[in-house]
Amino acid sequence: MNVNLLDLKAQNGALEPELREAFLRVLRSGHFILGPEVEKFERALAEFTGAKYALGVSSGTDAILLALMALDIGPGDEVLCPSFTFFATAGCVSRVGAKPVFVDSCPVCFNLDLRDATRRITPRTKAILPVHLFGQSADMDGVRDLASKHGLRVIEDAAQAMGATYQGKQVGTIGDFGTISFFPSKNLGALGDAGALLTNDETLFAKAKILRLHGMDPKYYHQVIGGNFRLDALQAALLAVKLPHFNGYTEGRRRNAALYTERLSKLLGVKIAQTSNCGCTQDANAKEDARLILPVACPNNGHIWNQYTLRVIGTGRRDALRAHLTARGIGAEIYYPLPLHEQACFADLGYKPDDFPWAHRLASEVISLPIYPEIPAEQIEQVCAVIAEFL
Ligand SMILES: *Cc1c(COP(=O)(O)O)cnc(C)c1O
């Protein structure tokens, strides 16, 4: 039996009558851009996350771009962000004319290493952009300490982590802005592109809202240069149907992560990442005695498991495991095979591969297994059996 990395039909199919009703309501309203559907979803999202304000936007990428624009970050400014993340995090920094200054990652939580961030601060550093990678919060106390010490703005890239918590507080509501993606494979998936911006600051919210609509205030009078970063009424209506089911999706992912850890940790040569080491004291060149290292939720964190990402130790072993899984019909993915500091588009920043030893190493070790909420437990058992055979 094949095991898919994702199956969006399972989740959306279960809600077909409600989604169909929402679609017909929007179709018959004739109101497709912003309007009451978007406002209703924004209120529900603010309530769900605990943010004072939520702004529906066109994508998670545009949410980051808009946050940077609302904070007036541009040419001459530097923004700290991890190298081991999805491209959009740093791409947006470059697009506003600022310079992404990469930071190494922690091999336990996969999030930014704050000691490395501290070393890279200059008089031009204007903001820090932590990513809550794979569904787990970065060390936000550390981020806030660093930000207040150096007068930095904080934008949380919570694209993969809506609903995750740090010390009980939802990610995306801790910094100046939080950005969320509703890309279909994210934990709350739209039926197309969509995103949101969260903030507790009324002035920043007002500014972002104007920038979302070409900087118009009032209509056809432009004080600032904005863009079209609007959320479709249709996506808002569909997302509003799915939002009440979000906690159920998270429960499913947590159950699946626990099952993987339970089964895989029993195998010889497999260990669970040690949260006590989190704080990034490990040497990226050190030899690991394990063959597989399983992911873990750090003590302050409510993990929402957007991904279940293992580290496969040993040269070529990760690619061998991937080939082994593929040959047996099991979907798996590499998030991400090349860290941002090694991407061709950032070559002019002048980084060398070993400037960020963990980001470089993790890119060759990680592999993410199928963990979507609806995956049958037997399929997880099957994935574990195939991994046991590989070891
Ligand atoms: C998905 C993702 C984004 C971009 O979201 P889109 O909605 O696809 O634009 C940004 N950052 C991270 C870390 C992501 O995973």
Side-chain angles (χ1 to χ4, degrees), residues 269-271 286-293 313:
V270 176
K271 71 175 196 190
K287 278 226 173 355
E288 290 281 0
D289 53 2
R291 278 180 275 182
L292 274 192
I293 301 177
I313 308 302

Side-chain angles (χ1 to χ4, degrees), residues 7-334:
D7 180 5
L8 302 173
K9 293 188 295 295
Q11 184 167 99
N12 294 325
L15 297 174
E16 194 172 310
E18 295 96 315
L19 291 170
R20 194 188 278 269
E21 190 185 299
F23 169 76
L24 285 174
R25 193 174 66 239
V26 174
L27 175 72
R28 289 169 184 162
S29 77
H31 196 141
F32 305 128
I33 303 290
L34 297 177
E37 295 285 354
V38 171
E39 285 160 23
K40 186 177 136 215
F41 175 65
E42 288 173 338
R43 282 194 298 276
L45 186 65
E47 188 172 339
F48 180 85
T49 57
K52 265 201 188 132
Y53 307 97
L55 191 71
V57 299
S58 30
S59 69
T61 304
D62 285 345
I64 302 170
L65 195 60
L66 200 48
L68 290 161
M69 290 169 74
L71 292 170
D72 290 316
I73 290 167
D77 297 330
E78 295 180 356
V79 178
L80 297 166
C81 68
S83 172
F84 187 61
T85 176
F86 179 58
F87 162 79
T89 314
C92 292
V93 174
S94 292
R95 286 172 66 193
V96 297
K99 179 182 170 188
V101 173
F102 293 121
V103 174
D104 209 1
S105 290
C106 163
V108 174
C109 67
F110 301 115
N111 286 319
L112 95 182
D113 171 348
L114 287 165
R115 254 169 283 179
D116 191 47
T118 309
R119 288 193 285 273
R120 297 179 193 275
I121 287 181
T122 76
R124 291 176 298 283
T125 312
K126 189 99 176 262
I128 182 164
L129 214 169
V131 180
H132 307 302
L133 204 66
F134 305 146
Q136 162 151 252
S137 179
D139 170 7
M140 290 308 291
D141 272 352
V143 167
R144 274 193 302 207
D145 283 352
L146 194 69
S148 62
K149 208 181 280 169
H150 298 276
L152 311 180
R153 296 298 205 155
V154 178
I155 301 169
E156 299 174 69
D157 181 346
Q160 301 182 4
M162 176 178 154
T165 56
Y166 178 79
Q167 294 179 351
K169 213 168 174 209
Q170 281 207 29
V171 299
T173 68
I174 300 165
D176 293 291
F177 279 115
T179 67
I180 294 178
S181 167
F182 304 118
F183 185 78
S185 66
K186 302 289 161 80
N187 284 28
L188 183 65
L191 276 63
D193 276 309
L197 194 56
L198 305 177
T199 184
N200 294 316
D201 184 310
E202 191 180 354
T203 312
L204 288 178
F205 173 69
K207 199 160 166 193
K209 194 170 176 179
I210 291 168
L211 287 166
R212 177 177 68 170
L213 204 57
H214 300 294
M216 288 199 293
D217 184 32
K219 204 172 183 185
Y220 304 129
Y221 290 81
H222 304 259
Q223 310 293 334
V224 288
I225 296 175
N228 171 1
F229 303 120
R230 298 178 298 238
L231 173 63
D232 288 347
L234 182 58
Q235 293 303 337
L238 299 170
L239 283 164
V241 169
K242 296 186 74 176
L243 182 59
H245 300 274
F246 185 84
N247 289 336
Y249 302 153
T250 300
E251 266 170 49
R253 287 174 182 275
R254 286 189 176 144
R255 185 186 59 231
N256 297 340
L259 183 56
Y260 272 124
T261 299
E262 148 74 21
R263 291 293 185 270
L264 294 173
S265 63
K266 291 209 173 94
L267 304 174
L268 201 67
V270 176
K271 71 175 196 190
I272 303 174
Q274 292 299 305
T275 59
S276 59
N277 291 341
C278 193
C280 324
T281 52
Q282 299 178 64
D283 174 7
N285 298 312
K287 278 226 173 355
E288 290 281 0
D289 53 2
R291 278 180 275 182
L292 274 192
I293 301 177
L294 307 179
V296 70
C298 294
N300 287 327
N301 291 347
H303 200 320
I304 51 92
W305 299 100
N306 180 244
Q307 302 297 342
Y308 188 88
T309 304
L310 318 173
R311 287 176 56 204
V312 190
I313 308 302
T315 309
R317 292 294 286 166
R318 189 274 311 277
D319 293 335
L321 174 57
R322 189 186 200 187
H324 181 82
L325 291 168
T326 305
R328 284 150 190 83
I330 293 172
E333 189 53 275
I334 312 299

